[in-house]
Amino acid sequence: ETAMLRAEQSQSLRRAVLTLEEPQRDVFILHAYGGLKLREIAALHQKSESWARVTYFRARKHLQEVMTDEIGL
């Protein structure tokens, strides 16, 4: 039951990530799943590290809201 719930939550998170607009989706995926540092992501986008940090945290906030609405986390 626990494994099934985790799989369901994981799928919900993947769907929620797809609702992010660029560049939030890109920054979130590269940092959360790809393990890149925000400094590296900023360099890829030719932006400041502050831009990457703000973009990542806005993406996280959006995902938290979507997940709360979808499955009540």
Side-chain angles (χ1 to χ4, degrees):
E1 186 176 317
T2 302
M4 195 167 137
L5 181 59
R6 283 186 184 165
E8 199 174 293
Q9 288 174 341
S10 181
Q11 267 191 338
S12 293
L13 179 59
R14 286 186 196 110
R15 281 193 303 272
V17 168
L18 294 176
T19 68
L20 291 169
E21 294 186 19
E22 288 297 333
Q24 287 182 353
R25 182 183 323 134
D26 189 40
V27 171
F28 183 82
I29 289 171
L30 289 172
H31 186 63
Y33 294 115
L36 269 68
K37 294 181 180 180
L38 292 172
R39 177 179 50 244
E40 297 168 321
I41 296 168
L44 286 172
H45 285 271
Q46 299 178 348
K47 303 278 187 175
S48 69
E49 186 175 347
S50 295
W51 171 87
R53 189 177 304 114
V54 168
T55 303
Y56 175 74
F57 285 107
R58 286 180 182 163
R60 273 191 49 197
K61 182 179 178 188
H62 174 80
L63 292 174
Q64 288 171 340
E65 291 169 359
V66 169
M67 294 297 288
T68 299
D69 291 345
E70 188 172 321
I71 60 174
L73 285 179

